[in-house]
């Protein structure tokens, strides 16, 4: 099944990706065979994942989360789903009209 996932890198940053095989992909990231971003920030740890029925929906969620602020990603990771709309509004206000 396709998954979208968030990794916490050794430097404290987050990496968002999607894959068909979550366990294998995590091993690849930690072996230095993953994305260039994670290769320089190992080890990485899986902090959030979501299974999808279709690869296109996993990819769409990946792209959506990649556009989120750190605060919004952390709310998702921590399960504070009710905070997501508020964090979106706060970012919109910061960016201006």
């Amino acid at each position: 099944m396709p998954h979208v996932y968030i990794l916490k890198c050794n430097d404290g940053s987050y990496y968002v990706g999607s894959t068909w095989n979550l366990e294998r992909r995590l091993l690849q990231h930690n072996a230095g065979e993953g994305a260039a971003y994670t290769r320089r920030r190992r080890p990485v740890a899986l902090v959030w994942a979501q299974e999808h029925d279709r690869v296109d929906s996993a990819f769409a969620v990946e792209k959506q989360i990649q556009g989120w602020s750190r605060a919004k990603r952390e709310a998702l990771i921590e399960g504070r789903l009710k905070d997501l709309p508020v964090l979106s509004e706060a970012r919109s206000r910061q960016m201006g009209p």
Side-chain angles (χ1 to χ4, degrees), residues 40-56:
R40 298 184 307 271
R41 293 168 172 84
R42 292 179 290 155
V44 299
L46 180 67
V47 293
W48 181 86
Q50 184 178 67
E51 188 176 287
H52 289 260
D53 291 330
R54 297 170 42 127
V55 69
D56 59 335

Side-chain angles (χ1 to χ4, degrees), residues 25 42 49 71 75 92 95:
R25 189 65 176 141
R42 292 179 290 155
S92 294
M95 297 177 82

Side-chain angles (χ1 to χ4, degrees), residues 55-86:
V55 69
D56 59 335
S57 66
F59 185 72
V61 171
E62 172 191 357
K63 293 303 170 193
Q64 179 182 27
I65 295 171
Q66 284 175 345
W68 288 2
S69 67
R70 180 179 180 87
K72 193 169 178 179
R73 289 179 189 190
E74 288 178 340
L76 177 66
I77 292 164
E78 295 167 7
R80 295 183 289 114
L81 304 182
K82 67 180 181 356
D83 292 347
L84 297 179
V86 173

